Amino acid sequence: PKTDIVFLKVHKSASSTVMNILFRFGETHNLTFAFPLGGGYQLYYPHHFLARFVQGFSPQSPRRFNILCHHMRFLQPEVQKVVPSSAIYFSILRNPVQLMESSFVYYKGASAFSRVRSLEEFLRQPYRYYDPASGDRHYARNLMTFDFGFNPDGEVSPERVQLMLKAIEASFDLLLISEYFDESMVLLKEMLCWDLDSVVSFPLNSRDSSTKSPLPESVVEKLKAWNRLDWEIYAHFNRTFWERIERDIGRERLRREVRALRARRAELARTCLQGTGSVAPKDIKDSSLRPLQHGGARILGYNLKQGLDQELERVCRRLVTPELQYSSLLYKKQFPPQPP
């Protein structure tokens, strides 16, 4: 199994669920994580990543970490200073239309969104609300482009788009697609030589459907145009994703593996969870399993069954521990507080 990994955690793209998979694998195999200084949750995002943002990094000591997966704005020469040269690089993309709809609800406080009631209103006159000079502009335009380290307000010439796609291809071994999450996990498992249980997961940091509404076709087209760079990235790597599946796995085996993954997830849900799945934040009984609530979204969580034996309880709890709590726990393990 591969143990040196860089995961670019793109916002609102099922990346918290992928992070849980990496946290569990790293914990099980005693791997080290490149944590933000002081145990924070983001690597000084939205600044471009620098090696000195990582706890325990020093230019003098050539210490390398196994897994880098906290939110960052990608800058490969700096990333290479903190992970082994053999590291596998991957990320996950989401359809920019749904991504922006999700971003609008989740980052309602962002300067571009705070004065509008709806996405439609924003898209009617985006430049009335959107300021390319504001520090949080990226939440409102080409968020994936920004996370990959590029300018979200860059021109959309075919030459520029090609350069960007080539640069991403040169840096990343694999780009997953969140709309095809299970297929993505099969591909990831294949590339990392991991077993099925290592990539099985429950959806984390997802919001309840009461805040989701279908978008009219006219809005969809405007969203694509407004997030044109993101759309180019998504369209390109959605295509190469399926080419990769054909080449490395084949449709028939893919179907078998996806079936096995879903069956295992269902089995774990029956074993671990009270009820059938996720619940509203107010219904989560164990406060240590309550995810951070943000913006206008209601982020769902889980209740574990009572009376599980110790080992099973540990496995189940890890599957449903929200990102911030899990990150803190692993940080304390890797950097134990010094006794006074």
Side-chain angles (χ1 to χ4, degrees):
K2 304 272 196 294
T3 53
D4 299 325
I5 293 160
V6 174
F7 172 54
L8 178 64
K9 187 174 187 292
V10 168
H11 287 76
K12 315 308 315 149
S13 303
S15 56
S16 295
T17 308
V18 177
M19 200 174 188
N20 176 272
I21 288 170
L22 295 174
F23 279 169
R24 289 186 345 240
F25 187 86
E27 185 181 24
T28 307
H29 295 83
N30 280 322
L31 304 177
T32 57
F33 290 88
F35 283 107
L37 276 175
Y41 304 115
Q42 301 197 336
L43 290 152
Y44 289 78
Y45 188 87
H47 298 286
H48 272 108
F49 176 81
L50 295 174
R52 61 182 170 81
F53 296 164
V54 172
Q55 180 77 42
F57 170 80
S58 101
Q60 289 75 39
S61 88
R63 177 172 188 192
R64 296 283 194 270
F65 300 91
N66 299 113
I67 299 178
L68 172 59
C69 62
H70 287 72
H71 269 309
M72 63 169 160
R73 188 169 182 210
F74 190 67
L75 187 60
Q76 190 161 20
E78 289 290 315
V79 169
Q80 287 167 331
K81 295 176 185 175
V82 298
V83 294
S85 56
S86 59
I88 298 275
Y89 287 67
F90 80 100
S91 186
I92 187 163
L93 305 173
R94 182 181 184 184
N95 184 314
V97 174
Q98 277 73 47
L99 178 74
M100 181 141 176
E101 188 273 330
S102 176
S103 189
F104 181 77
V105 174
Y106 201 79
Y107 300 112
K108 193 70 187 80
S111 57
F113 295 151
S114 58
R115 294 180 294 136
V116 291
R117 282 187 302 279
S118 67
L119 210 41
E120 284 93 318
E121 189 182 338
F122 173 80
L123 290 163
R124 271 199 293 277
Q125 299 172 284
Y127 282 109
R128 192 175 153 192
Y129 310 105
Y130 176 83
D131 174 6
S134 80
D136 62 0
R137 76 189 192 286
H138 50 282
Y139 293 123
R141 187 176 203 190
N142 289 318
L143 182 50
M144 294 191 289
T145 302
F146 184 86
D147 285 354
F148 276 96
F150 303 101
N151 174 7
D153 295 302
E155 54 153 336
V156 192
S157 66
E159 299 75 35
R160 193 193 132 82
V161 167
Q162 277 313 307
L163 280 173
M164 181 172 73
L165 297 176
K166 289 274 180 290
I168 295 172
E169 276 178 340
S171 300
F172 287 85
D173 299 287
L174 179 63
L175 286 164
L176 306 174
I177 304 289
S178 66
E179 283 81 9
Y180 302 103
F181 190 80
D182 292 343
E183 292 82 355
S184 291
M185 290 306 103
V186 170
L187 203 48
L188 185 67
K189 171 172 93 73
E190 182 82 1
M191 188 178 70
L192 298 176
C193 308
W194 288 8
D195 62 8
L196 180 70
D197 269 13
S198 297
V199 297
V200 87
S201 62
F202 297 143
L204 294 177
N205 203 30
S206 54
R207 59 190 170 119
D208 78 352
S209 50
S210 71
T211 58
K212 297 179 187 173
S213 49
L215 299 166
E217 196 50 47
S218 59
V219 173
V220 169
E221 289 313 312
K222 279 183 184 164
L223 278 171
K224 279 187 200 172
W226 177 247
N227 295 286
R228 181 65 196 283
L229 290 170
D230 271 11
W231 185 258
E232 295 285 353
I233 292 175
Y234 180 78
H236 176 80
F237 288 106
N238 188 9
R239 194 174 61 250
T240 58
F241 175 82
W242 293 104
E243 288 166 3
R244 181 83 174 253
I245 286 208
E246 296 285 0
R247 192 182 74 227
D248 295 356
I249 296 176
R251 295 285 171 131
E252 192 41 55
R253 195 175 124 221
L254 178 72
R255 274 195 287 274
R256 280 201 307 276
E257 299 238 3
V258 165
R259 251 200 319 272
L261 181 66
R262 287 174 181 165
R264 182 64 179 133
R265 181 186 300 132
E267 183 188 349
L268 281 165
R270 286 192 297 274
T271 305
C272 295
L273 303 179
Q274 282 181 32
T276 50
S278 51
V279 295
K282 62 174 180 21
D283 300 324
I284 300 169
K285 300 182 181 77
D286 179 343
S287 61
S288 72
L289 296 178
R290 198 170 290 143
L292 172 76
Q293 301 300 312
H294 202 292
R298 278 204 312 201
I299 307 299
L300 305 173
Y302 298 91
N303 286 315
L304 290 179
K305 277 190 176 153
Q306 302 298 300
L308 298 169
D309 73 63
Q310 204 179 348
E311 180 45 33
L312 194 54
E313 211 273 346
R314 201 192 71 80
V315 169
C316 293
R317 178 170 287 275
R318 291 295 188 259
L319 277 162
V320 301
T321 299
E323 175 187 327
L324 303 192
Q325 288 93 312
Y326 206 157
S327 185
S328 295
L329 186 130
L330 293 172
Y331 178 80
K332 289 189 188 101
K333 209 166 155 180
Q334 191 168 308
F335 300 103
Q338 295 303 311

